[in-house]
């Protein structure tokens, strides 16, 4: 174990010892009976059989609650027999666990002792049940009343020299109502310091799509996937991270569509799917999902797409009708310049860079040439690179040249992560300034929000590290473990005067804290709140807003809902001296929805329209309306090739999710689809690279990244031979976040480069 922090003797990184690893071949199919068994195992263990089964039937149903896990949309007619997947069930079990921790627990264990536990162990302790405070110089959290907690925060906020010394972080599980109030409070307090998890997630998508198509969201609806002729799934592992997307891909195939996967790994969920909602899936051989897998090297999507475009352009020249010239003419600018630019690249060079066999590229070109209804789906494999924005723009080029935008069964599909991360942004969780949003606050709510841009995640880390950020408040999430450069982020948080976590479960951000720290426990999505209009609304990955109402009894009588506690904090801070009537907002959420309708773009009559299947927010791309863009046209762009200049002994590492985690929450120690059991400290490596580097299977290594004078090291990983392109490595996040330098991030979106980290491997002394 390394790097014990001196201030409170906190072990920042947690233990790096090994468990009893077991390895099998990767699973040939996703879901099936094993998926059901795994879901039930987790649910029954945490919640008990009856409670689990009855609650699951309310998940993703019209009168029930939205799955707290990913942002994949629900079908318009959810099956009454159950509309959830294995990982949705795990998320519910994790939230609705019967285990709880309160004052007695924290009296027994100091934060120093707790920091010696793994993230898996911390999460499994159970739900937080009452507000707790870690006072300056102490090592035990103690109970604190809600009133005292709000006063403590309000006093600290009043004592700041400038409102910009406070940082208001949001994770994407908050409801629209909570997120709107939180953003409103930050602005009323006087800052736009509203970093959020999307800064580390789909920010590159937002930037790329806004620049090219005029809206930072995707354009497809769920039903579009069913009728697409080709769906490209790039840089995404839906079998684990958006499991019900596999049903949509299955439907597309049944309707005659083709699936192309572009990924360094042959992810199981993309290969074969046994749909547990169908007899065929339970008893038969399942559905082969991917028709064509392109094993691109890490961060070499641009050369691959350029090569495909180059070949399509040549065909278009020869045969015509490959590109949609009418669409290009009427709706886009930049096509000519792009086609000219493509001529400057050698096909041979592009092929070498992307690492995909020529014959596979040709098959892709053949498939795409005759098709017009094309969808590109993507997630973190495209966004978390230095050139994340450019990479996404290159895929958009393909769609625009094919005219596959703004018509049925076609378009962009950035698959969002957290269940309401898209809604949070729509209602105002953003560090930048949207002038029209601010104007509407001024008109309808009677105060003027600050006009200077605030801090994003990277900016917040730096500000705290430099002593300029003094109060850190988090509406959910686990900033320490989610952000890059764990040791740096820990130092940053520890320099704060006060850190506040609004949370459901214990995580490392409760242990690596400012001088004073607060835990404010809150409701989970599945829990029922008492009172009028106490339901919330959320927006899924495809822009549909619907209501969500919990059904379970809350984990404790001492919880406050997120809207309630934000309203109380604001009321304590302003003491009634503010145009917004904060006091009553936390009791009746319909009042918050009225405000959202007035201030956030596209929201209208949410109170009634969010019922049932809900309603879609406006989306200009669906209307082929590019009038807000310069020249009133969609932009076809020229994007450079990535530059990595790897040294002979350097590898490119991507940090990925296992099947048993939700971001920094570790549900279990297995990664069933990749055949890894009971261990997370492993590095996936090409067998030929292992031979060349004299490494044996299960040999213990350290990973070093050297971007600047400092060498960052992730200790103790076991090497696992795996089907991954040469020169590439994969390992799990968050254990590898220590390797990502805080000051290396995507151009323009500033998303940390978590999927392309240059590392060296060295044998650990103990091996
Ligand atoms: N069960 C579960 N569900 C989740 C989450 C979770 O942790 N657990 N997290 C949620 C969140 S917040 C998010 S953002 C999403 C994340 O969903 P994903 O983006 O699917 O998650 P990752 O594990 O980061 O997987 C990235 C995929 O991209 C591939 N990849 C990496 N680099 C490249 C590249 O350069 N090019 C290409 N083409 N592919 C590449 C990897 O091999 C991997 O398959 O999932 C959400 N859903
Ligand atoms: N190296 C590397 N780093 C990454 C990534 C990567 O792929 N590689 N992915 C990035 C991505 S895509 C994301 S989105 C971020 C995630 O960053 P975060 O959103 O900050 O992290 P999570 O792990 O999702 O947060 C989990 C915690 O949220 C709290 N929580 C859960 N449910 C609720 C709720 O209903 N209300 C409240 N108030 N709290 C709740 C619990 O206390 C839990 O411990 O991580 C990023 N970091
Ligand atoms: S696909 Fe995502 S939202 Fe749907 S049930 Fe599974 S985890 Fe929940
Ligand atoms: Mo995410």
């Amino acid at each position: 174990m390394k790097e014990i922090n001196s201030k409170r003797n906190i072990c920042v990184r947690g233990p790096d010892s090994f468990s009893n690893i077991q390895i099998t071949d990767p699973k040939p199919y996703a879901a099936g009976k094993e998926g059901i068994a795994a879901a039930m195992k987790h649910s029954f263990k945490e919640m008990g059989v009856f409670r689990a089964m009855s609650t699951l039937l309310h998940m993703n149903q019209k009168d029930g609650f939205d799955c707290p896990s990913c942002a994949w949309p629900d079908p318009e007619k959810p099956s009454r027999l159950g509309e959830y997947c294995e990982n949705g069930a795990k998320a519910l079990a994790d939230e609705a666990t019967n285990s709880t921790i309160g004052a007695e627990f924290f009296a027994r264990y100091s934060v120093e002792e707790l920091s010696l536990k793994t993230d898996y162990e911390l999460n499994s302790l159970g739900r937080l049940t009452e507000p707790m405070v870690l006072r300056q110089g102490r090592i035990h959290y103690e109970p604190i009343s809600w009133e005292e907690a709000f006063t403590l925060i309000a006093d600290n906020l009043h004592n700041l020299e400038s409102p910009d010394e406070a940082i208001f972080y949001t994770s994407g599980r908050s409801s629209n109502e909570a997120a709107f109030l939180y953003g409103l409070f930050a602005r009323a307090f006087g800052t736009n310091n509203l970093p959020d998890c999307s800064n580390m997630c789909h920010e590159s998508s937002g930037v790329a799509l806004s620049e090219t198509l005029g809206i930072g969201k995707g354009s497809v609806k769920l039903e579009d996937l069913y009728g697409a002729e080709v769906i490209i799934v790039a840089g995404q592992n839906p079998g684990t991270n958006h499991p019900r997307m596999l049903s949509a891909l299955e439907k597309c195939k049944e309707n005659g569509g083709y699936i192309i996967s572009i990924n360094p790994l042959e992810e199981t969920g993309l290969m074969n799917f046994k749909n547990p909602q169908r007899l065929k899936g339970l008893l038969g051989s399942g559905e082969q999902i991917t028709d064509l897998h392109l094993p691109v090297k890490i961060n070499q999507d641009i050369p691959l797409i350029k090569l495909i475009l180059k070949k399509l352009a040549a065909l278009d020249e020869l045969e015509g009708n490959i590109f949609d010239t009418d669409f290009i003419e009427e709706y886009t600018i930049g096509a000519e310049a792009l086609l000219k630019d493509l001529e400057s690249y050698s096909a041979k060079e592009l092929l070498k860079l992307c690492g995909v066999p020529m014959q596979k590229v040709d098959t892709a070109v053949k498939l795409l040439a005759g098709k017009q209804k094309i969808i590109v789906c993507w997630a973190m494999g495209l966004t978390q690179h230095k050139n994340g924005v450019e990479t996404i723009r290159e895929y958009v080029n393909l769609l625009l040249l094919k005219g596959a935008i703004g018509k049925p069964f076609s378009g962009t599909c950035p698959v969002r992560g957290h269940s309401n991360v898209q809604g949070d942004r729509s209602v105002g969780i953003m560090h930048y300034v949207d002038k029209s949003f601010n104007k509407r606050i001024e008109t309808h709510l009677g105060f003027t929000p600050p006009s200077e841009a605030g801090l994003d995640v990277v900016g917040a880390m730096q500000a705290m590290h430099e002593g300029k950020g003094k109060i850190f408040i988090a509406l959910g999430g686990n900033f320490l473990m989610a952000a890059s450069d764990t040791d740096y982020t820990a130092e940053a948080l520890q320099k704060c005067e006060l850190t506040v976590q609004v949370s459901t479960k214990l995580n490392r951000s409760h242990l690596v804290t400012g001088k004073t720290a607060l835990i404010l426990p809150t409701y989970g999505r599945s829990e029922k709140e008492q009172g009028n209009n106490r339901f919330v609304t959320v927006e899924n990955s495809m822009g549909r807003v619907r209501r969500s109402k919990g059904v379970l009894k809350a984990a404790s009588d001492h919880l406050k809902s997120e809207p309630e506690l934000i309203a109380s904090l604001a009321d304590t801070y302003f003491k009634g001296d503010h145009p917004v009537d904060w006091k009553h907002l936390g009791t009746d959420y319909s009042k918050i929805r009225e405000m959202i309708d007035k201030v956030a773009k596209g929201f209208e009559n949410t109170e009634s329209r969010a019922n049932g299947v809900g309603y879609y927010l406006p989306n200009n791309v669906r209307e082929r309306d590019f009038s807000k863009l310069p020249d009133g046209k969609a932009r076809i762009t020229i994007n450079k090739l990535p530059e990595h200049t790897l040294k002979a002994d350097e590898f490119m590492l991507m940090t990925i999710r296992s099947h048993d985690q939700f971001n920094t929450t570790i549900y279990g120690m297995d990664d069933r689809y990749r055949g890894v059991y009971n261990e997370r400290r492993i590095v996936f490596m090409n067998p030929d690279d292992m031979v060349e580097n004299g490494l044996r299977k299960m040999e213990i290594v350290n990973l070093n990244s050297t971007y600047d004078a400092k060498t960052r090291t992730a200790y103790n990983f076991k090497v696992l031979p795996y089907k991954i392109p040469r020169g590439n490595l994969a390992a799990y996040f968050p254990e590898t976040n220590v390797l990502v330098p805080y000051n290396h991030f995507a151009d323009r979106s500033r998303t940390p480069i978590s999927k392309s980290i240059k590392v060296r491997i060295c044998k650990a002394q103990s091996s």
Side-chain angles (χ1 to χ4, degrees), residues 328-329 332-343 401 636 638:
I328 294 171
E329 181 98 337
T332 71
I333 50 164
E336 234 171 87
L338 173 71
L339 294 176
K340 190 154 187 312
D341 184 68
L342 284 174
E343 287 171 14
L401 288 172
I636 291 173
I638 295 179

Coordinates of all heavy atoms in Angstrom, one line a residue, residues 328-329 332-343 401 636 638:
I328 N -26.5 17.3 -49.2 CA -25.2 18.1 -49.0 C -25.4 19.5 -49.5 O -25.0 20.5 -48.8 CB -24.0 17.4 -49.7 CG1 -23.8 16.0 -49.1 CG2 -22.8 18.2 -49.7 CD1 -22.8 15.1 -49.8
E329 N -25.9 19.6 -50.7 CA -26.1 21.0 -51.3 C -27.0 21.9 -50.5 O -26.7 23.0 -50.2 CB -26.8 20.7 -52.7 CG -27.0 22.0 -53.5 CD -25.9 22.2 -54.5 OE1 -24.8 21.7 -54.3 OE2 -26.1 22.9 -55.4
T332 N -25.7 21.6 -46.0 CA -24.4 21.6 -45.4 C -23.4 22.5 -46.1 O -23.6 22.9 -47.2 CB -23.8 20.1 -45.5 OG1 -23.4 19.9 -46.9 CG2 -24.7 19.1 -45.0
I333 N -22.3 22.8 -45.3 CA -21.2 23.5 -46.0 C -19.9 22.7 -45.6 O -19.9 22.0 -44.6 CB -21.0 24.9 -45.5 CG1 -21.0 25.0 -44.0 CG2 -21.9 25.9 -46.2 CD1 -20.4 26.4 -43.5
G334 N -18.9 22.7 -46.4 CA -17.7 22.1 -46.1 C -17.4 20.8 -46.8 O -16.3 20.3 -46.7
A335 N -18.3 20.3 -47.6 CA -18.1 19.0 -48.2 C -16.9 19.0 -49.2 O -16.0 18.1 -49.2 CB -19.4 18.5 -49.0
E336 N -16.9 20.1 -50.0 CA -15.8 20.1 -51.0 C -14.5 20.2 -50.4 O -13.5 19.4 -50.8 CB -16.0 21.4 -51.9 CG -16.1 21.1 -53.4 CD -16.5 22.4 -54.1 OE1 -15.6 23.2 -54.4 OE2 -17.7 22.6 -54.3
A337 N -14.3 21.0 -49.4 CA -13.0 21.1 -48.7 C -12.6 19.8 -48.1 O -11.5 19.4 -48.2 CB -13.1 22.2 -47.6
L338 N -13.6 19.1 -47.5 CA -13.3 17.8 -46.9 C -12.8 16.8 -48.0 O -11.8 16.1 -47.8 CB -14.5 17.2 -46.2 CG -14.2 15.8 -45.6 CD1 -13.2 15.8 -44.5 CD2 -15.5 15.1 -45.2
L339 N -13.5 16.7 -49.1 CA -13.1 15.8 -50.1 C -11.8 16.1 -50.7 O -11.0 15.2 -50.9 CB -14.2 15.8 -51.2 CG -15.6 15.2 -50.8 CD1 -16.6 15.3 -51.9 CD2 -15.5 13.8 -50.3
K340 N -11.5 17.3 -50.7 CA -10.1 17.8 -51.2 C -9.1 17.3 -50.2 O -8.0 16.8 -50.6 CB -10.1 19.3 -51.5 CG -8.9 19.8 -52.2 CD -9.2 21.1 -52.9 CE -8.0 21.5 -53.8 NZ -6.8 21.5 -53.1
D341 N -9.4 17.6 -49.0 CA -8.4 17.3 -47.9 C -8.2 15.7 -47.8 O -7.0 15.3 -47.6 CB -9.0 17.7 -46.5 CG -8.0 17.5 -45.4 OD1 -7.0 18.2 -45.4 OD2 -8.3 16.6 -44.6
L342 N -9.2 15.0 -48.1 CA -9.0 13.5 -48.1 C -8.0 13.0 -49.1 O -7.3 12.0 -48.9 CB -10.4 12.8 -48.3 CG -11.4 12.8 -47.2 CD1 -12.7 12.2 -47.6 CD2 -10.9 12.0 -46.0
E343 N -7.9 13.8 -50.2 CA -7.0 13.4 -51.2 C -5.5 13.5 -50.8 O -4.7 12.8 -51.3 CB -7.1 14.3 -52.5 CG -8.4 14.0 -53.2 CD -8.7 15.1 -54.3 OE1 -7.8 15.9 -54.6 OE2 -9.8 15.1 -54.8
L401 N -22.4 13.4 -45.1 CA -22.2 13.0 -46.5 C -23.2 12.0 -47.1 O -23.6 12.1 -48.2 CB -20.7 12.5 -46.7 CG -19.6 13.5 -46.6 CD1 -18.2 12.9 -46.6 CD2 -19.7 14.6 -47.7
I636 N -19.7 20.3 -42.3 CA -18.7 19.2 -42.5 C -17.4 19.7 -42.2 O -17.0 20.8 -42.7 CB -18.9 18.7 -44.0 CG1 -20.3 18.1 -44.1 CG2 -17.8 17.8 -44.4 CD1 -20.6 17.7 -45.5
I638 N -13.0 19.5 -41.2 CA -11.7 18.8 -41.5 C -11.0 18.6 -40.1 O -10.8 19.5 -39.3 CB -10.8 19.7 -42.4 CG1 -11.5 19.8 -43.7 CG2 -9.4 19.1 -42.5 CD1 -10.8 20.6 -44.7

